[in-house]
Amino acid sequence: MTVLESAKEAFAGKTRTDTAFERLAELIVSGEIAPGSVVNEAEWAERLEMSRGPVREAVRRLQGRRLVTREPYLKARVVTLSTQNLIDIFELREALEGMACRLATQRMSDAALKEIFDHLDPGSAPSPVRFDFHVAIAHGSGNARIIEALCDDLYYLLRLYRRHSGAAIGRSKEASREHWQIAKSMMARDPDLAESLMRSHISRATVNLEAQIASAGGGYA
């Protein structure tokens, strides 16, 4: 990392630990750091061109976000996708995101809903900022606890599972269509339908990912 890059991060209020955490989390979510691999702080520090201090703190944060696990007397490892973890996470996700969708349908302004809808329009120009449909709805719910759970505590773990659930052939296009249907019901101010469609959307993703994990022998390690 150059001096200029460090200065920019400091100006933005980021610490080296923040940077290490975000980069490592993205590498885990993207699969560049493999599920089940041993956490090697020295290797990760070298990869990020940092000292081991910020990386060590970042690993603690990754443990808090459940992206890294550490069993007693064993080395820390990147989380392995398992059927039981899938069921636990997606049951929670279905409940939280279903309610978030209901609340957002009732509480978001017409302009804010249209902005979400426009992001899903295949004919619209791509946004320079990465758009996350599920995060947008969570924030639109206006419920601080839901936002904290979906956009902070479980954010990277949910992204990890969502990436795998969308990896199957045809699932990405199917999910995009489902997003459009959810947004359309929200625009129509139909909270019952919006919640039902969101729950169905997550349920399909659950079934799809569960099948993938089973075909991989119970995990991706």
Side-chain angles (χ1 to χ4, degrees), residues 162-181:
R162 279 165 48 194
R163 184 180 70 83
H164 283 282
S165 69
I169 297 174
R171 178 57 196 164
S172 180
K173 290 183 179 180
E174 183 180 286
S176 295
R177 286 193 298 269
E178 292 167 8
H179 286 177
W180 184 83
Q181 291 168 346

Side-chain angles (χ1 to χ4, degrees), residues 109-127:
S109 68
D110 290 343
L113 284 175
K114 186 177 185 304
E115 185 176 353
I116 288 179
F117 193 81
D118 288 345
H119 272 291
L120 302 176
D121 181 358
S124 63
S127 170

Side-chain angles (χ1 to χ4, degrees), residues 5-19 22 61:
E5 287 172 333
S6 297
K8 285 181 177 179
E9 287 184 356
F11 182 77
K14 282 186 180 181
T15 66
R16 301 300 294 277
T17 298
D18 293 334
T19 300
E22 290 172 6
R61 289 192 194 178

Side-chain angles (χ1 to χ4, degrees), residues 18-36:
D18 293 334
T19 300
F21 168 79
E22 290 172 6
R23 291 185 180 179
L24 290 171
E26 290 295 336
L27 289 171
I28 292 171
V29 170
S30 69
E32 290 186 54
I33 295 179

